[in-house]
Amino acid sequence: MMRAWLTQHGFVFFHTLKRLASTPVTTLLSITVMGIALSLPTGVYVLMENLQSISGQTAGSPQISLFLKQDASKEDIDKIQQRLQEDSRIVNYQFISKDSALIQLQQSSGLTDIAANLTYNPLPDAFVVHTRENTSDSLEQWKLTMQSWPEIAHVQFDSAWVDRLNVLLKLGRSVVLMLATLLSISIVAIMFNTIRLQILTKRDEIEISKLIGATDGFIQRPFLYFGAIQGLCGGITAWLIIAWGIDALNGELMPLTQLYGLEIQLRYLSLQDSISLLLFSAWLGWLGARISVASHLWQIEPE
Amino acid sequence: MPENLLKRFWIERYNEQNPMITFKNVSKRYPDGYIALNNVELEVESGEMVFLTGHSGAGKSTLLKLIAAIERPTSGVIAISGQNIAQLKSAAIPYLRRKIGFIFQDHKLLFDRNVFENVLLPLQISDFDNNTAMSRVRAALDKVGLLKKEKVMPITLSGGERQRLCIARAVVHRPAILIADEPTGNLDIEYARDIMAMFKSFNQVGVTILIATHDASLLDDTQHRILSLKQGKLAA
Ligand SMILES: Nc1ncnc2c1ncn2[C@@H]1O[C@H](COP(=O)(O)OP(=O)(O)OP(=O)(O)O)[C@@H](O)[C@H]1O
Ligand SMILES: [Mg+2]
């Protein structure tokens, strides 16, 4: 029984492959369309994953850096220190003199080459402030106040760009979701129509099979296989498109990374994400076929 | 597996005591209002061979289709070996049809498949394993004398050959009931007698057979029961 079942499914599987191969142009076109559709949301997703892992490496606790003017005097420094001392919003602060900043710079990875060639110290004195304040509104307010102090050249939230990136990533996630939803629906619709046409051309076969005792399951099987296999092929195409895209982007990034001594390399889809992509695309194809079969097969009743 | 359960259900319901086919008060009215069968009473014993005659439009095909649940009765009870098929759920209909070999008036052959593949179809749908299926198809083709034409497409077959192909497809899965709708229509008398001899040999191995025909020459020399339909009513 089990063996008969396996032979039956194996038969349908290979029969479906043969059917796909018998119309190579149509098959390739539909697979390409599906692959491109799937590669759009997946591609955005991969880019975001990469951005996130890059930002994850650099994100620290939120802090404020106060850069003094290049010509700030000892008194200026004391004045600032005074004000910081009195501010209850501040957890702690640290003074970094221009000299120690330069030493830090010289020791920091990746920038040694630049720092070694400096003939003078371009860095200002600075305070690094840790604060309780964590709403971006009040931080923004505070920043404006400090910016207005005459001794201060520049105020910077060290977490600002990370925040911005996070907002961007959130936006990106919504875009991925929207793209994925819309394109998934379109893939289901494409498959629905493909199977509808197939059912029409196989009308006689379906009718006769029903007449001699084929179950609905038997009649549906080849169409469901067709949908799932074509969906899977679409998923594989999408994977290849993305791999190719990442290769191309990494090629573009190469001169940049060499210039700055940075180690940035975009990664491919993870194994888990790859498997998810393939399963999902096969499922989409199957679903389109399933809906089509459910809405068209019953119309073919033997007479 | 529900398929297995349904099969067992059929076997358990199979009962030698019951007639193979029973019609009680069966009427069939088509959706357009035409009454094709009117209060038909009928019993066919297991192993019997019965002819069904009547003018064109008398309702012969309709009666045969009711047996395989291709058409459903408007009223009355139809039982196949004791099982009322008027109440059969649509999911159970395939298993009823597999008990029956049907030779259709309009053949219903697949013209994009060769002779062999046409006969294979009833075995494919019921999950036969490959080797058994192959030998059964050859045996069926041999019985109807088409073994040499197994690779041929049905479009190139003569009328008589097509009819024999239909017979091979109807018997390949060894059904308990064989139903033939005009199996000798348009065939000359030689061919027709050939085909009748085939049916007799199936009947001799226990198959219940029901043949619809308006070919009077077939009925002249038969000892088998003849049912006669007139305007949807069964004459005594
Ligand atoms: N699907 C249908 N819808 C409406 N009327 C139908 C349908 N099928 C058959 N009929 C009508 O029912 C009557 C009986 O038809 P049926 O096919 O059973 O006759 P028959 O005895 O087989 O005739 P023939 O010898 O010509 O094959 C006919 O008048 C036919 O027009
Ligand atoms: Mg008829």
Side-chain angles (χ1 to χ4, degrees):
Chain A
M1 192 61 215
M2 188 65 195
R3 239 188 62 203
W5 186 87
L6 276 179
T7 350
Q8 273 299 321
H9 279 259
F11 176 81
V12 176
F13 181 77
F14 286 111
H15 191 74
T16 307
L17 288 186
K18 243 169 59 190
R19 250 168 60 211
L20 282 166
S22 70
T23 54
V25 179
T26 317
T27 302
L28 278 178
L29 271 177
S30 346
I31 289 174
T32 310
V33 167
M34 289 177 85
I36 291 171
L38 283 165
S39 71
L40 283 173
T42 320
V44 178
Y45 170 81
V46 171
L47 283 182
M48 276 172 36
E49 287 290 292
N50 274 298
L51 271 180
Q52 194 157 33
S53 81
I54 292 167
S55 80
Q57 288 159 17
T58 46
S61 57
Q63 58 182 23
I64 306 167
S65 302
L66 303 179
F67 295 101
L68 276 66
K69 288 190 171 136
Q70 197 72 46
D71 56 355
S73 63
K74 183 82 181 67
E75 280 129 68
D76 292 336
I77 295 168
D78 288 341
K79 243 189 249 167
I80 302 282
Q81 193 152 13
Q82 188 77 30
R83 287 193 199 123
L84 294 177
Q85 201 107 52
E86 284 161 8
D87 201 319
S88 62
R89 293 171 292 192
I90 290 170
V91 183
N92 63 45
Y93 65 87
Q94 190 191 355
F95 175 69
I96 296 165
S97 71
K98 51 172 86 175
D99 298 333
S100 62
L102 185 63
I103 293 167
Q104 239 179 43
L105 181 68
Q106 282 165 345
Q107 285 166 348
S108 73
S109 63
L111 294 170
T112 352
D113 294 347
I114 303 168
N117 290 329
L118 291 174
T119 51
Y120 67 102
N121 185 356
L123 301 171
D125 293 313
F127 283 95
V128 176
V129 177
H130 289 258
T131 165
R132 287 190 185 88
E133 217 61 57
N134 53 12
T135 65
S136 53
D137 272 355
S138 53
L139 278 172
E140 204 62 42
Q141 198 65 46
W142 198 11
K143 180 184 174 181
L144 286 176
T145 320
M146 293 193 289
Q147 196 88 68
S148 67
W149 296 345
E151 304 83 5
I152 299 294
H154 184 61
V155 181
Q156 189 180 332
F157 296 136
D158 283 3
S159 63
W161 78 273
V162 174
D163 288 346
R164 262 179 229 137
L165 188 66
N166 279 334
V167 171
L168 222 86
L169 286 174
K170 221 166 120 188
L171 189 75
R173 242 169 249 130
S174 313
V175 170
V176 167
L177 210 67
M178 268 157 52
L179 276 179
T181 311
L182 290 175
L183 292 167
S184 297
I185 291 171
S186 73
I187 286 172
V188 170
I190 291 170
M191 195 46 76
F192 179 90
N193 205 40
T194 309
I195 297 294
R196 188 181 67 87
L197 294 173
Q198 284 190 7
I199 289 174
L200 283 180
T201 61
K202 285 177 166 281
R203 230 195 140 80
D204 288 347
E205 188 181 325
I206 293 167
E207 188 203 328
I208 291 169
S209 300
K210 276 191 177 182
L211 278 175
I212 60 177
T215 57
D216 284 349
F218 176 88
I219 289 168
Q220 290 176 12
R221 219 183 278 158
F223 298 110
L224 300 184
Y225 266 92
F226 187 94
I229 290 174
Q230 192 150 53
L232 182 69
C233 292
I236 293 170
T237 310
W239 195 95
L240 292 173
I241 290 174
I242 286 163
W244 168 80
I246 287 175
D247 275 344
L249 285 181
N250 273 336
E252 300 266 318
L253 280 173
M254 188 91 98
L256 258 152
T257 57
Q258 277 168 351
L259 198 63
Y260 291 102
L262 296 168
E263 288 254 356
I264 298 178
Q265 258 245 310
L266 297 179
R267 276 174 283 179
Y268 297 105
L269 270 182
S270 68
L271 180 67
Q272 202 181 346
D273 287 341
S274 301
I275 291 171
S276 304
L277 170 66
L278 297 185
L279 286 180
F280 183 65
S281 59
W283 180 76
L284 279 181
W286 176 88
L287 183 70
R290 182 80 191 73
I291 298 172
S292 192
V293 154
S295 51
H296 296 119
L297 269 191
W298 65 269
Q299 292 172 355
I300 304 177
E301 267 310 317
E303 13 147 351
Chain B
M1 202 172 277
E3 200 160 312
N4 261 340
L5 287 178
L6 280 165
K7 268 183 199 158
R8 194 176 307 155
F9 178 68
W10 268 112
I11 291 162
E12 278 165 12
R13 281 306 187 105
Y14 186 85
N15 189 342
E16 296 282 326
Q17 316 302 325
N18 287 314
M20 190 58 112
I21 302 165
T22 313
F23 276 53
K24 282 198 185 106
N25 258 325
V26 174
S27 295
K28 172 65 187 179
R29 183 218 297 261
Y30 279 110
D32 61 4
Y34 186 84
I35 297 171
L37 289 179
N38 194 352
N39 273 324
V40 171
E41 297 275 338
L42 170 67
E43 273 192 11
V44 177
E45 296 300 327
S46 178
E48 218 185 337
M49 177 150 147
V50 176
F51 288 91
L52 186 64
T53 64
H55 60 91
S56 185
K60 304 182 294 292
S61 295
T62 304
L63 192 152
L64 297 183
K65 284 176 185 168
L66 286 172
I67 296 171
I70 298 168
E71 292 290 351
R72 312 305 292 268
T74 315
S75 63
V77 173
I78 301 169
I80 307 297
S81 46
Q83 161 87 44
N84 183 4
I85 65 158
Q87 286 163 5
L88 215 54
K89 286 214 181 80
S90 56
I93 288 176
Y95 303 96
L96 166 71
R97 291 186 183 157
R98 290 177 197 184
K99 285 184 52 163
I100 299 169
F102 210 116
I103 295 155
F104 300 96
Q105 189 167 9
D106 53 352
H107 296 175
K108 304 237 182 261
L109 292 171
L110 280 172
F111 286 98
D112 56 350
R113 297 193 186 187
N114 67 26
V115 165
F116 189 94
E117 289 163 338
N118 265 281
V119 180
L120 184 62
L121 195 63
L123 302 180
Q124 276 178 333
I125 61 158
S126 47
D127 290 348
F128 262 82
D129 85 77
N130 245 12
N131 295 335
T132 321
M134 296 290 163
S135 58
R136 286 232 187 156
V137 171
R138 297 238 156 74
L141 284 174
D142 194 26
K143 236 176 261 169
V144 300
L146 279 179
L147 198 49
K148 284 209 181 86
K149 300 222 167 187
E150 64 170 39
K151 292 266 154 50
V152 160
M153 297 310 262
I155 198 80
T156 66
L157 295 179
S158 73
E161 285 170 332
R162 280 186 205 180
Q163 201 58 261
R164 284 186 277 150
L165 175 54
C166 292
I167 295 171
R169 189 184 64 185
V171 299
V172 70
H173 58 299
R174 300 185 185 158
I177 303 170
L178 183 59
I179 292 172
D181 198 352
E182 301 288 356
T184 58
N186 304 327
L187 294 185
D188 59 41
I189 191 80
E190 284 298 298
Y191 262 129
R193 280 192 210 291
D194 244 26
I195 281 170
M196 290 321 290
M198 261 175 226
F199 285 134
K200 276 179 189 145
S201 74
F202 293 132
N203 183 235
Q204 268 152 21
V205 297
V207 182
T208 309
I209 302 183
L210 203 57
I211 301 167
T213 181
H214 53 233
D215 194 347
S217 63
L218 281 176
L219 305 172
D220 288 345
D221 59 338
T222 184
Q223 325 86 316
H224 298 286
R225 185 148 65 107
I226 300 169
L227 301 166
S228 166
L229 266 176
K230 272 200 187 80
Q231 316 280 21
K233 275 181 178 285
L234 214 48

